[in-house]
Amino acid sequence: MAKARKQKPEGGAGGGATVLHQKLCLSIDMENQLIYGYTEIKVLLAENDTFALHADSMTIRNILVDGEAAEFEYSPHWKNVDGQPSWLSVSCLKTAADAACSAYVSSLTSESVPNLIISSERSVKSTTELPEGENGEKHEENGGNSVQLSDDKEVKTCNGSAEGNDKEEGRETKKEDEKENRNEEKTEMEIETEEKEREKEKDKETEEGKEENEDEKEKEDANENEKDKENEMQIENEKVKNTKLVRVDYILEKAETGVHFVNNVLHSNSQIRRAHCWFPCIDSAIERCPFDLEFTVSTDLVAVSNGDLLYQVLSKEDPPRKTYVYKLNTPVSAQWISLVVGPFEILPDKNGISVSHMCLSPTLSKLENTISFFHDAYSCYEDYLAAPFPFGLYKQIFLPSEMVVSPTSFGASTCIFSVDILNDEKVIDQIIGTRIKLAYALARQWFGIYTSAEEPNDEWLLDGLAGFLTDLFIKRYLGNNEARYRRFKANCTVCQFDVSGATGLGSPAASTDLYGTQTIGSYGKIRSLKAVAVLQTLEKQMGPDSFRKILQMIVASTRASRTLSAKEFRHLANKIGNLERPFLKEFFPRWIESCGCPIMRLGISYSKRRNMVELAVSRGCTAKADPDSDSHADGDIQEGATGWPGMMSVRVHETDGVYDHPILPMAGEALQVVELQCHSKVAAKRFQKTKKGSKPDGSDDNVDASTQENRTSMDAPLLWIRVDPEMEYLAEIHFHQPIQMWINQLEKDKDVVSQSQAIAVLEKLPQLSFAVINALNNFLNDTKAFWRVRVEAAYALAVTASEDTDLAGLLHLVKFYKSRRFDADIGLPRPNDFHDIPEYFVLEAIPHAVALVRSSDKSSPRQAIEFILQLLKYNDNNGNVYSDVYWLAAMVQAIGEVEFGQQGIGLLSSLLKRIDRLLQFDNFMPGYNGVLTVSCIRALARIAERVSSSICLDRICELITPFRNMDKPWKVRIEASRVLLDLELHHKGLDAALLLFLKYADEEKTLRGGTKLAVHVLRICQANIDSSRTDQIKLQTLLALLHLLGSKKSYNNVLLRHNVFCILQIAAGRPPTLYGVPKFAAPSPLVQEISIDQHTKADSSVPQLSRPQEPSTSTPSVREVLPTTVPSKDADNISNCSERRNVVKIRVRRAASSSKADGAASSSKADGADLRDHSHGGRNENEVGPCSSMSVDAPMVGAPNEPLNTSNHIEEQNSCHDRESRMSASVSNAKLMDTHEISKELQCTADSRIDAVDSRLDAVKDQFSPVINVQDGVDKPGSQLEGVSTSYAGTQAPESVNGLDSKEKKRKDKKDKKRNRDEKRDKKDDPEYLEKKRLKKEKKKMEKELARKQKEGDRLSSQQDIAKPSDSQGTFVATPPAPAQSAEPQVSNKDVAVETARTPPTKKIKIRFKPLKKIG
């Protein structure tokens, strides 16, 4: 059994209030749209006498505390909405998105702060003596303290608390009676304790064999019990002293949010933090209390609210009025208090359950048909949870679509729906969706309202449990296939969109910090689906019986607390579910506190000799690392590298049976190879001689490719393999097996998930065989298969239909439809007959699938268009008991998917005539919910977009605009607006579409209509925003969107405001969520530029690396650079920066002919170091060693008439010698003379090895300057290097160059060598590493061969030019490059010319770009 959770202490420093009970008494005047009355709140104060409430959009008349007038401060939020900022800082998309974040977060923060500050002090002198401004400030400070404490502390409910008493006269007498009762109870308790002590003394005297230690223990226990009882009595007395009764009288006139007046109906909604807009309360999800509710309305109206209806009171007024009295004993938050008033028709449930259904008179027949199943869901939940409905009477109210804010509005024991959810008895398509929505709303009563989340981080748990309960209903009453198919598609959706920290379920950054917006929008849907999937994974791990026991314990009436936390659920999973703590310790952080789902890529290989299957597994994560994300998001993604807890199973279907292998680890190495032992054996086959005309491998050109693969698959005893067949994990699986095994899986496996996976793979094959098409066609014709998977097979046939297969898929679809619906004698469709509902759904999808078929010119074949036209022309619903409105709508929708080519454009006029005829018919005799008109409008828009060159878009807009009139059905009006937005986007662009949306949003009077338009525009932006363009949306449009975000219209409609915020984020290329939004204001672009410039100036001594440009056609592949004005004093700072930069790596190798002379010259040098200021031309004559490792800030010179020689035959060598020196050279003032000058800064880090140094070059080094100037000599073939500044030491690297002393460098080199050895040892068994190593060896071998050939060519050319003298000393002669030899920019310089007749030595330089690694 779970341990009792420790209760948080009440109150706290600074004062805080806990609501113990609230009573609401209101009178509703429907004619004047007026609400007036009062609310009484019983609060428990902590220390301060000041507490705060939420109240908005109302007029506070007076406030009484314990019957006496109290001072209060009231600052409504809605009055501050009109004072919008001027948005002067907005100049582009990014600044507009930043401004939207700031405004949205500011609004959400201010709404969460209580704004009605009440002081309970009896004396008014202390408040009246202060000035008004100081008094207001004082109350605001007190209110702020109380807000923080009331939001943070847990609600303490008082069982059996007294009801609020309207009479104020008997309050003092009641308090005295309570004190007397407590004193009497105390005396009785003392008498009882004395009697117990006497009995204990008698027992001690009679018992002789007891020890003295035991007696002492018993005395101590008795004393402790007495002390505990005394402490409890003291706490109760303190509670009585600190308990206050607050009465707030107020008036609400023409409410626009919280509650809504529409015609003769008043209804509330459960929007985030909008309950305080129609009654004062603490509007927080963690503040809960019981409620008493009284509503007075006209006698012809019905008031429906929460809890049990106790009685109705008829007043003696003229005209008479009726008061409905409700009582809700279960503590709930103010968000779940609801009220609906109207002339409703009440329909009690016929099956004897405590449920009432209500609607307006026109929809009563639909209501009777819709609720016929509800008894099944109600009894299913009560049976599974072993608990009755927690609120007594459950009430469902169905209101017109234009009245409600959202399709479903939850409340305690009540739920408000849109009438769109009701389905007629003649309509088939709506049945499944309606039943699932009603069942989910009922499940939310148990999980989410009756049992609520302890903290905002725990809301996912209640949402997931409600979804889990709904899946249970689907499985029992809609079938196991429907439940598994829906869960499979939901898992695929979660894996596709669970890529960022915004979908982390229990992460504070993705829940608490988002002010409740995590539950709305697209991310809210993904979080709900993920929560259900995670809970189903836990159920698979612990078993269904254990999971059921946990849920029964949570909803049990004997449970002390009505809240649930993830920590407590984890404890229950350990104690009751028998899940080990190490598993839970890994499971909850990985699945709940972080984001991302595993991606499993698997492939098989069968070993016939060992009769084993080798399974290669590659594991990844759907979460993508975002460099711009916050630290918490990076941490979440980094946790994904460790894997997930548990083992995934592999099911192998062999010829002799089915075998499960739970051996696939979800953690550990990302790349693994798993071996599966086969239990079946391959039958021996005779050796057959090859036929004439066959290939050496036994295959035949005249045989189908699939037959060949089937023949080879017979060599293995495998039919097909499945990974995670029971969906135990929320994972994205990519499995590779032979095509014939996929066909076997589709044809022989009865699991709908397996069939859907096989179809998804077969339709994406690059080369389709007739065996695949035949398998899909056979499955489509199989009436025993699940209808949803058959629909997938129909769409797969449409996708696979091409001219390569002679449009076989199209022919199969048409043949299947005609075999079911056509009369074979006359060749025309028969009258509709929809008695076979699964067959109805499959046939309904065929026209849409046919419209998706494309020929080689990407247009629809003529026979496909003729087929759809024939169905529309000869549709006959006479004699059919079911409506064909959705049937016709599907055909019209198919017309919108047709691509008209040269062959099909002639049929366009006939199709348009049919659509116009259906529009006129539906306008003359309105059909079911305007479904047919909506599909016709959408099809016209799609056709206009596809053939805009043949049809005038303005004419189409004129045709659709009348459907926006207020006399049209609400659905038709909204669809017409959305279609016009699409046409505006196609005709004039995104900015014009957004301006039209702003116009429509201002004209739309219904809250739900504005929300639907905003959602549609959000999808338009997601599909059409181009991140590379910044002029798609003009500044005036951005400012208009910002004004809409901060307007009163958005304040009244929370969903509209959130979607407008998401639109601005999408426009700036950001995700549509508050997740990751910084808490501080972003600096303006001007400030950012100044800071960047200052940073650049401060770091001007550090050379900055620029991004390499692409080589031009007129110049060799060498980067052109600007001269650096200041040489670098600390060149090695390049490698210490945190940015990843491209590095030019230079390798220098000299010819062997000069090695002896250079060696002799180098041996005459003395060891030493003179570390003077080398950057100012100071020279160091102590040159030691034949090698140098240098860091160069130098330009690379090249011109069309003097290109540098590039080659790829230079052998790379490391700078590892007995005696080292480091040299830093700074080269500047180099320009490349071309058609126009291109300048670029370049950093080079070069490791060069020089085997010997020429003695003549040593004599010239004293004359080198710190600058190389080749500007005057680039036009000559033999340009001179005028100056190079060098500084080097024999045994010690200068600090200005290296940044580290020699000891640290040696220690670091040792660590690097050791790490490299360890890495090589680890990679010894890695096949990928071995393959790379082999390719590298082959590449080096080829380079050596090319180098040898190049060397021979250079030797011949040098012998011819040996007598020619050089122009100057220290000159590098460049030769044209060989572009075909290497893709890398490689430079090879020729020999340094000397005034001798022998062959000059050759320097060869190789440049390689690589990113610098961050040190530390």
Side-chain angles (χ1 to χ4, degrees):
M1 189 170 178
K3 295 181 180 179
R5 197 169 49 249
K6 292 183 178 179
Q7 300 293 332
K8 296 181 181 179
E10 298 180 0
T18 300
V19 179
L20 302 178
H21 184 271
Q22 185 164 359
K23 181 179 181 179
L24 185 62
C25 299
L26 298 177
S27 294
I28 294 97
D29 186 357
M30 300 295 293
E31 294 181 359
N32 300 319
Q33 296 186 359
L34 182 65
I35 298 175
Y36 57 92
Y38 67 92
T39 180
E40 286 185 350
I41 306 175
K42 187 177 182 181
V43 296
L44 177 64
L45 301 181
E47 293 181 0
N48 276 353
D49 291 331
T50 302
F51 60 97
L53 299 174
H54 294 84
D56 216 343
S57 304
M58 62 186 67
T59 302
I60 306 295
R61 300 172 64 183
N62 62 345
I63 297 179
L64 303 178
V65 177
D66 288 340
E68 297 185 5
E71 293 289 329
F72 64 92
E73 289 288 338
Y74 175 47
S75 56
H77 295 122
W78 62 272
K79 287 186 177 180
N80 300 327
V81 170
D82 297 332
Q84 296 183 7
S86 58
W87 314 113
L88 295 177
S89 61
V90 176
S91 59
C92 62
L93 294 175
K94 291 185 178 180
T95 54
D98 293 337
C101 290
S102 177
Y104 195 27
V105 172
S106 176
S107 299
L108 293 171
T109 305
S110 63
E111 292 169 11
S112 63
V113 177
N115 56 341
L116 178 57
I117 314 300
I118 303 172
S119 176
S120 63
E121 295 179 358
R122 300 286 178 91
S123 60
V124 190
K125 295 181 180 179
S126 59
T127 58
T128 56
E129 290 177 358
L130 294 174
E132 294 181 357
E134 296 178 2
N135 188 15
E137 293 175 359
K138 180 178 180 180
H139 284 293
E140 288 177 359
E141 292 174 0
N142 295 336
N145 295 333
S146 63
V147 169
Q148 295 177 356
L149 292 165
S150 62
D151 286 341
D152 293 337
K153 67 173 179 292
E154 181 184 353
V155 174
K156 301 294 184 297
T157 60
C158 182
N159 295 329
S161 60
E163 299 180 7
N165 189 5
D166 296 339
K167 298 179 180 180
E168 300 178 1
E169 299 175 354
R171 296 186 187 278
E172 296 180 358
T173 57
K174 283 188 175 182
K175 291 182 179 180
E176 293 176 358
D177 294 340
E178 290 177 358
K179 290 181 179 180
E180 292 177 359
N181 293 332
R182 296 180 195 281
N183 294 330
E184 292 177 358
E185 291 176 358
K186 188 173 181 180
T187 55
E188 290 177 359
M189 293 175 63
E190 291 175 354
I191 293 171
E192 290 178 359
T193 52
E194 290 177 359
E195 292 179 354
K196 290 181 180 179
E197 289 178 356
R198 292 174 183 175
E199 291 178 358
K200 289 179 181 179
E201 291 176 358
K202 292 179 181 180
D203 294 336
K204 290 177 183 178
E205 293 176 357
T206 55
E207 295 176 358
E208 298 178 355
K210 291 184 179 181
E211 298 179 357
E212 296 180 356
N213 295 333
E214 294 180 357
D215 296 338
E216 294 177 357
K217 289 182 180 180
E218 290 178 358
K219 290 181 180 180
E220 292 177 358
D221 295 339
N223 293 331
E224 289 178 359
N225 292 333
E226 291 179 1
K227 291 180 181 179
D228 293 340
K229 291 178 181 179
E230 292 178 357
N231 293 332
E232 291 176 359
M233 295 296 293
Q234 291 178 358
I235 293 173
E236 290 179 0
N237 292 332
E238 290 178 358
K239 286 184 177 180
V240 171
K241 293 179 181 178
N242 295 331
T243 301
K244 304 291 183 181
L245 187 64
V246 182
R247 172 171 172 153
V248 182
D249 293 326
Y250 68 96
I251 298 177
L252 190 62
E253 299 182 57
K254 296 182 179 180
E256 296 180 354
T257 183
V259 290
H260 305 275
F261 290 90
V262 183
N263 299 329
N264 59 342
V265 175
L266 166 71
H267 69 93
S268 63
N269 58 75
S270 58
Q271 294 191 91
I272 301 174
R273 283 185 294 277
R274 290 298 179 268
H276 68 274
C277 292
W278 67 285
F279 69 96
C281 59
I282 297 182
D283 199 357
S284 174
I286 60 175
E287 289 287 345
R288 310 167 191 91
C289 70
F291 280 84
D292 286 342
L293 306 168
E294 296 181 8
F295 303 103
T296 303
V297 297
S298 301
T299 54
D300 58 339
L301 301 177
V302 178
V304 185
S305 190
N306 314 96
D308 296 326
L309 178 61
L310 299 182
Y311 51 85
Q312 304 175 28
V313 178
L314 187 63
S315 67
K316 297 180 181 180
E317 300 177 4
D318 188 19
R321 295 169 65 83
K322 185 183 293 186
T323 301
Y324 292 82
V325 180
Y326 292 89
K327 186 175 182 60
L328 182 63
N329 292 323
T330 304
V332 296
S333 60
Q335 180 184 4
W336 307 125
I337 299 300
S338 56
L339 172 64
V340 185
V341 179
F344 297 119
E345 297 288 340
I346 302 175
L347 187 64
D349 197 89
K350 299 179 181 180
N351 296 288
I353 58 178
S354 299
V355 179
S356 295
H357 314 277
M358 307 175 195
C359 68
L360 299 178
S361 300
T363 56
L364 183 60
S365 59
K366 291 182 181 180
L367 178 61
E368 292 178 351
N369 178 73
T370 303
I371 64 173
S372 59
F373 84 101
F374 199 75
H375 170 72
D376 297 332
Y378 193 89
S379 58
C380 172
Y381 294 163
E382 287 190 337
D383 177 64
Y384 183 80
L385 299 174
F389 184 72
F391 295 108
L393 180 66
Y394 180 56
K395 300 166 283 291
Q396 294 185 130
I397 305 98
F398 299 87
L399 299 178
S401 304
E402 58 270 16
M403 291 186 183
V404 297
V405 180
S406 57
T408 306
S409 180
F410 302 110
S413 77
T414 61
C415 195
I416 304 172
F417 298 96
S418 168
V419 293
D420 294 339
I421 203 174
L422 300 178
N423 64 281
D424 193 84
E425 59 181 354
K426 295 183 179 180
V427 176
I428 300 175
D429 297 68
Q430 251 188 307
I431 296 175
I432 296 176
T434 294
R435 294 187 175 184
I436 293 175
K437 291 174 183 177
L438 293 179
Y440 175 75
L442 180 61
R444 287 287 292 180
Q445 297 295 319
W446 270 282
F447 299 105
I449 301 177
Y450 177 65
T451 304
S452 56
E454 182 178 342
E455 298 291 342
N457 295 350
D458 306 319
E459 290 179 356
W460 70 269
L461 180 56
L462 281 307
D463 193 10
L465 289 174
F468 179 86
L469 213 58
T470 308
D471 283 358
L472 176 69
F473 163 76
I474 295 173
K475 184 176 181 180
R476 286 193 182 182
Y477 292 96
L478 298 180
N480 186 47
N481 287 339
E482 180 75 19
R484 283 185 60 82
Y485 185 86
R486 283 181 170 271
R487 179 44 43 201
F488 171 66
K489 292 301 180 181
N491 289 357
C492 293
T493 304
V494 174
C495 292
Q496 181 181 359
F497 294 100
D498 188 14
V499 296
S500 67
T503 53
L505 296 178
S507 171
S511 54
T512 307
D513 297 347
L514 302 189
Y515 304 94
T517 60
Q518 71 275 8
T519 59
I520 57 180
S522 57
Y523 281 101
K525 296 178 181 178
I526 298 301
R527 286 169 58 89
S528 298
L529 296 176
K530 183 179 179 180
V532 179
V534 170
L535 291 176
Q536 287 186 341
T537 300
L538 276 177
E539 187 215 15
K540 298 287 185 183
Q541 296 292 332
M542 69 176 65
D545 294 335
S546 299
F547 196 82
R548 181 180 180 182
K549 290 180 182 179
I550 293 176
L551 266 61
Q552 290 176 355
M553 180 174 292
I554 291 172
V555 300
S557 58
T558 56
R559 188 164 173 263
S561 176
R562 291 267 55 88
T563 60
L564 180 66
S565 65
K567 185 177 181 180
E568 183 180 358
F569 189 81
R570 176 176 172 179
H571 180 73
L572 293 173
N574 175 243
K575 293 298 180 182
I576 301 175
N578 296 322
L579 293 181
E580 297 179 355
R581 288 189 177 182
F583 172 81
L584 293 173
K585 191 175 180 180
E586 296 179 7
F587 184 90
F588 274 75
R590 188 61 197 92
W591 283 108
I592 296 168
E593 298 175 7
S594 60
C595 64
C597 302
I599 302 177
M600 309 295 291
R601 293 181 173 86
L602 307 98
I604 62 169
S605 175
Y606 175 69
S607 176
K608 185 176 180 181
R609 180 178 61 85
R610 302 167 58 198
N611 195 26
M612 295 188 70
V613 177
E614 293 182 351
L615 191 66
V617 184
S618 173
R619 188 185 69 252
C621 182
T622 59
K624 304 296 188 300
D626 187 6
D628 297 332
S629 61
D630 294 340
S631 58
H632 56 75
D634 296 338
D636 293 345
I637 296 172
Q638 289 174 2
E639 289 178 2
T642 59
W644 290 261
M647 302 285 286
M648 185 177 287
S649 62
V650 179
R651 181 171 295 172
V652 181
H653 293 258
E654 303 181 18
T655 55
D656 293 346
V658 182
Y659 303 92
D660 286 343
H661 304 270
I663 60 172
L664 196 59
M666 297 292 292
E669 297 182 1
L671 299 175
Q672 299 181 13
V673 177
V674 181
E675 293 183 347
L676 308 177
Q677 182 65 49
C678 292
H679 299 78
S680 307
K681 295 184 179 180
V682 182
K685 295 190 303 181
R686 288 185 180 181
F687 176 75
Q688 297 180 355
K689 295 183 179 180
T690 58
K691 299 179 182 180
K692 294 182 179 180
S694 61
K695 297 180 181 180
D697 59 352
S699 60
D700 195 348
D701 293 335
N702 299 323
V703 182
D704 190 7
S706 62
T707 308
Q708 292 291 338
E709 186 175 356
N710 191 10
R711 182 186 302 170
T712 56
S713 65
M714 294 301 294
D715 296 338
L718 306 175
L719 298 178
W720 70 93
I721 297 177
R722 292 191 62 196
V723 180
D724 193 20
E726 299 300 329
M727 292 190 294
E728 296 179 351
Y729 289 93
L730 178 61
E732 181 180 336
I733 298 175
H734 303 274
F735 184 53
H736 300 274
Q737 62 182 354
I739 300 176
Q740 184 58 40
M741 296 178 70
W742 286 114
I743 295 175
N744 294 340
Q745 180 172 329
L746 176 62
E747 295 177 342
K748 299 179 181 180
D749 202 329
K750 302 304 179 185
D751 184 15
V752 294
V753 175
S754 176
Q755 296 165 354
S756 180
Q757 289 174 340
I759 291 174
V761 172
L762 292 176
E763 72 176 352
K764 294 179 181 178
L765 293 175
Q767 295 181 354
L768 294 169
S769 61
F770 286 99
V772 174
I773 298 176
N774 292 334
L776 293 172
N777 181 45
N778 294 336
F779 189 84
L780 175 63
N781 287 270
D782 186 7
T783 57
K784 296 181 180 180
F786 185 48
W787 67 269
R788 290 190 186 273
V789 189
R790 291 176 65 192
V791 170
E792 285 191 0
Y795 284 110
L797 283 172
V799 173
T800 57
S802 62
E803 294 185 353
D804 296 337
T805 59
D806 298 331
L807 297 177
L810 175 61
L811 299 178
H812 284 309
L813 290 172
V814 175
K815 182 180 178 181
F816 168 77
Y817 192 93
K818 289 184 175 181
S819 65
R820 262 72 172 175
R821 297 282 301 112
F822 273 56
D823 191 339
D825 297 333
I826 61 176
L828 295 176
R830 294 193 299 267
N832 296 333
D833 185 7
F834 300 154
H835 282 92
D836 190 350
I837 293 181
E839 199 71 13
Y840 162 80
F841 283 120
V842 176
L843 291 172
E844 188 183 43
I846 297 300
H848 191 263
V850 169
L852 296 177
V853 177
R854 299 288 183 265
S855 56
S856 58
D857 60 347
K858 304 302 180 182
S859 63
S860 299
R862 183 179 178 86
Q863 57 265 41
I865 304 176
E866 291 176 346
F867 174 73
I868 299 173
L869 181 61
Q870 187 181 25
L871 297 183
L872 271 176
K873 185 177 181 180
Y874 295 101
N875 180 69
D876 184 8
N877 204 51
N878 293 327
N880 188 17
V881 297
Y882 294 102
S883 172
D884 66 341
V885 58
Y886 282 97
W887 181 268
L888 283 172
M891 294 181 186
V892 174
Q893 184 183 3
I895 298 176
E897 299 294 337
V898 171
E899 284 284 354
F900 294 93
Q902 294 181 355
Q903 298 180 354
I905 196 67
L907 301 174
L908 177 60
S909 59
S910 300
L911 292 172
L912 292 176
K913 288 180 181 179
R914 289 292 161 187
I915 294 176
D916 183 61
R917 182 179 179 182
L918 290 174
L919 272 175
Q920 294 180 5
F921 177 78
D922 200 51
N923 188 31
F924 180 71
M925 296 181 64
Y928 180 77
N929 286 350
V931 172
L932 189 57
T933 302
V934 166
S935 61
C936 290
I937 293 174
R938 174 59 58 184
L940 283 175
R942 297 294 297 273
I943 293 174
E945 292 175 1
R946 293 177 187 272
V947 291
S948 56
S949 59
S950 304
I951 298 179
C952 180
L953 291 179
D954 295 335
R955 180 72 185 89
I956 298 295
C957 293
E958 292 177 2
L959 180 64
I960 297 175
T961 301
F963 290 98
R964 293 193 65 250
N965 296 336
M966 295 303 295
D967 58 340
K968 298 296 181 183
W970 177 80
K971 268 191 171 181
V972 175
R973 288 194 292 108
I974 298 303
E975 186 62 28
S977 300
R978 292 195 289 193
V979 164
L980 291 173
L981 287 173
D982 291 340
L983 292 176
E984 191 77 5
L985 171 71
H986 181 77
H987 187 49
K988 298 181 180 179
L990 182 59
D991 185 74
L994 288 174
L995 289 175
L996 189 61
F997 158 70
L998 292 169
K999 177 186 175 183
Y1000 289 168
D1002 185 60
E1003 296 174 354
E1004 183 60 40
K1005 302 302 180 183
T1006 63
L1007 297 180
R1008 192 180 177 197
T1011 301
K1012 280 190 168 291
L1013 292 178
V1015 171
H1016 186 70
V1017 172
L1018 177 61
R1019 293 172 180 169
I1020 287 177
C1021 292
Q1022 288 177 328
N1024 296 278
I1025 284 292
D1026 186 2
S1027 58
S1028 61
R1029 294 180 57 188
T1030 59
D1031 58 344
Q1032 278 187 295
I1033 305 176
K1034 296 180 181 179
L1035 180 60
Q1036 292 79 3
T1037 308
L1038 294 175
L1039 294 176
L1041 287 172
L1042 287 171
H1043 281 290
L1044 177 60
L1045 176 66
S1047 65
K1048 183 68 179 297
K1049 191 179 188 68
S1050 294
Y1051 177 80
N1052 296 337
N1053 190 349
V1054 172
L1055 299 177
L1056 173 64
R1057 180 175 66 174
H1058 182 75
N1059 284 289
V1060 171
F1061 163 77
C1062 293
I1063 289 171
L1064 289 166
Q1065 300 307 304
I1066 290 292
R1070 301 175 183 175
T1073 176
L1074 272 176
Y1075 176 82
V1077 173
K1079 303 300 180 184
F1080 53 87
S1084 62
L1086 180 61
V1087 176
Q1088 292 180 356
E1089 285 185 10
I1090 295 173
S1091 63
I1092 291 173
D1093 292 340
Q1094 291 176 352
H1095 179 71
T1096 306
K1097 292 176 181 179
D1099 295 338
S1100 59
S1101 60
V1102 180
Q1104 302 295 325
L1105 177 64
S1106 60
R1107 185 175 179 179
Q1109 296 179 350
E1110 294 295 331
S1112 61
T1113 55
S1114 59
T1115 57
S1117 177
V1118 180
R1119 274 57 175 176
E1120 302 171 359
V1121 296
L1122 271 177
T1124 56
T1125 56
V1126 181
S1128 174
K1129 295 185 179 181
D1130 192 358
D1132 277 355
N1133 287 339
I1134 303 170
S1135 61
N1136 293 334
C1137 66
S1138 59
E1139 299 178 359
R1140 300 179 63 86
R1141 299 173 178 174
N1142 294 332
V1143 176
V1144 182
K1145 192 172 183 179
I1146 304 177
R1147 309 282 187 180
V1148 182
R1149 182 183 175 187
R1150 301 196 107 192
S1153 58
S1154 61
S1155 61
K1156 293 182 180 180
D1158 292 340
S1162 63
S1163 61
S1164 62
K1165 298 292 179 181
D1167 294 342
D1170 186 15
L1171 299 178
R1172 295 184 175 89
D1173 192 1
H1174 61 278
S1175 61
H1176 290 80
R1179 61 184 179 91
N1180 191 344
E1181 298 178 356
N1182 299 325
E1183 179 183 350
V1184 180
C1187 111
S1188 67
S1189 177
M1190 61 182 176
S1191 177
V1192 186
D1193 181 11
M1196 290 178 286
V1197 183
N1201 57 352
E1202 187 190 4
L1204 296 175
N1205 183 24
T1206 61
S1207 63
N1208 63 348
H1209 62 276
I1210 304 172
E1211 182 180 356
E1212 295 185 9
Q1213 298 183 14
N1214 294 327
S1215 179
C1216 252
H1217 306 283
D1218 297 335
R1219 308 178 72 183
E1220 290 185 353
S1221 68
R1222 292 188 62 84
M1223 174 177 67
S1224 175
S1226 205
V1227 186
S1228 58
N1229 297 332
K1231 293 185 180 179
L1232 183 63
M1233 304 301 294
D1234 202 346
T1235 57
H1236 59 277
E1237 295 183 358
I1238 304 175
S1239 60
K1240 203 84 169 168
E1241 249 186 71
L1242 181 65
Q1243 286 181 343
C1244 312
T1245 300
D1247 295 331
S1248 63
R1249 176 178 178 180
I1250 304 175
D1251 296 331
V1253 181
D1254 190 88
S1255 57
R1256 296 181 182 269
L1257 291 176
D1258 294 335
V1260 183
K1261 283 183 180 179
D1262 295 340
Q1263 303 173 0
F1264 281 176
S1265 64
V1267 174
I1268 296 178
N1269 190 357
V1270 293
Q1271 185 174 359
D1272 299 333
V1274 290
D1275 294 333
K1276 301 178 182 179
S1279 61
Q1280 275 187 330
L1281 295 175
E1282 292 185 357
V1284 177
S1285 173
T1286 61
S1287 177
Y1288 44 86
T1291 58
Q1292 185 178 2
E1295 293 181 359
S1296 60
V1297 178
N1298 198 7
L1300 298 170
D1301 55 12
S1302 59
K1303 292 183 180 180
E1304 292 180 357
K1305 183 179 180 302
K1306 290 180 180 179
R1307 192 182 303 111
K1308 182 183 175 186
D1309 291 342
K1310 288 181 180 180
K1311 290 182 179 179
D1312 292 341
K1313 290 179 182 179
K1314 186 177 180 181
R1315 184 170 60 253
N1316 293 336
R1317 285 197 302 269
D1318 296 339
E1319 290 178 357
K1320 289 182 179 179
R1321 193 184 306 111
D1322 296 338
K1323 293 181 179 179
K1324 192 173 295 183
D1325 299 331
D1326 188 1
E1328 185 179 358
Y1329 171 75
L1330 296 176
E1331 181 66 17
K1332 288 182 179 180
K1333 189 175 181 180
R1334 185 183 64 79
L1335 293 175
K1336 187 176 181 181
K1337 287 183 179 180
E1338 292 181 356
K1339 182 179 178 182
K1340 284 187 176 182
K1341 187 175 181 181
M1342 293 177 62
E1343 288 179 353
K1344 287 182 180 180
E1345 186 68 21
L1346 291 174
R1348 185 180 59 80
K1349 293 180 181 180
Q1350 183 73 18
K1351 191 174 181 180
E1352 292 177 357
D1354 292 344
R1355 192 173 296 164
L1356 293 174
S1357 61
S1358 62
Q1359 289 176 1
Q1360 295 175 1
D1361 300 335
I1362 193 170
K1364 297 179 180 180
S1366 60
D1367 295 338
S1368 60
Q1369 296 180 351
T1371 304
F1372 293 97
V1373 183
T1375 59
Q1381 293 181 359
S1382 176
E1384 296 181 355
Q1386 297 172 349
V1387 182
S1388 175
N1389 290 347
K1390 281 193 175 182
D1391 318 67
V1392 178
V1394 293
E1395 294 179 356
T1396 57
R1398 63 183 181 183
T1399 303
T1402 303
K1403 288 192 179 72
K1404 295 178 181 179
I1405 303 174
K1406 181 177 180 181
I1407 301 177
R1408 173 175 295 177
F1409 288 89
K1410 69 175 183 179
L1412 285 171
K1413 296 182 179 179
K1414 183 178 178 180
I1415 297 178

